[in-house]
Amino acid sequence: MKKLDQALSDLSLTPNQKKQMTKAGALVYKESLRSNMNNSLHKGKYSRETKVKLEDDIGIRYKVEDGATYVGFKSTTGHSGYIARILNDGYAAHGGKGAKAHKTRIISGLHFQEKSLVESKSMILAAEAKKYRELTGD
């Protein structure tokens, strides 16, 4: 029984090691998110006049207790991360002056977060597995 307990404890990582492993995957996701966000923002005549640089608001947080790593948008003072949840919804744009020029255009939602998750899932797992092997010496 003692050998089994020792073998199981050798397999499990400490919270600090888990943090290092999940951080490797989080960095991959963060880069994918930044890339997809920049490529999917609306451009052209009906785009937003006020430009918001959400790529500067992507942040990484760590949970000390279990080593989890989270990637998300900063919504604190000076950051506009709260806008990320609005961007994905899509909306009906109304424009023009006067009844004849007034047209409704449906602006599709920006699903860069979902796209980033789907595209980078295997790369995230590969980065975490590589880090795991480094940490365990396998």
Side-chain angles (χ1 to χ4, degrees):
M1 193 63 148
K2 217 174 196 183
K3 286 181 182 179
L4 178 61
D5 287 341
Q6 184 60 41
L8 289 175
S9 67
D10 289 344
L11 288 175
S12 61
L13 298 174
T14 66
N16 188 37
Q17 289 173 318
K18 286 180 187 175
K19 176 183 166 184
Q20 292 176 42
M21 190 180 84
T22 58
K23 180 181 178 183
L27 292 173
V28 170
Y29 176 62
K30 181 179 177 181
E31 191 52 43
S32 176
L33 187 61
R34 178 174 285 152
S35 173
N36 283 327
M37 182 174 47
N38 287 334
N39 293 334
S40 70
L41 292 178
H42 294 297
K43 297 168 181 72
K45 183 177 177 183
Y46 302 104
S47 66
R48 191 182 159 93
E49 289 180 23
T50 308
K51 301 298 179 202
V52 177
K53 297 192 131 214
L54 280 176
E55 66 269 11
D56 297 336
D57 292 336
I58 300 172
I60 295 179
R61 278 198 146 155
Y62 307 101
K63 190 172 179 185
V64 178
E65 299 84 30
D66 64 358
T69 304
Y70 301 94
V71 178
F73 292 92
K74 302 174 196 169
S75 291
T76 55
T77 306
H79 299 286
S80 303
Y82 65 92
I83 293 174
R85 69 177 173 79
I86 300 168
L87 287 176
N88 278 354
D89 294 342
Y91 58 96
H94 305 282
K97 296 179 181 170
K100 289 183 181 178
H102 188 82
K103 294 181 180 173
T104 301
R105 300 191 190 296
I106 304 301
I107 308 298
S108 61
L110 301 173
H111 300 288
F112 58 87
Q113 288 176 300
E114 294 86 352
K115 182 179 179 182
S116 298
L117 270 175
V118 170
E119 285 181 356
S120 63
K121 196 173 225 176
S122 62
M123 293 184 296
I124 291 168
L125 291 173
E128 289 180 349
K130 180 181 176 187
K131 192 61 166 179
Y132 176 81
R133 285 191 291 277
E134 286 175 21
L135 293 169
T136 59
D138 289 339

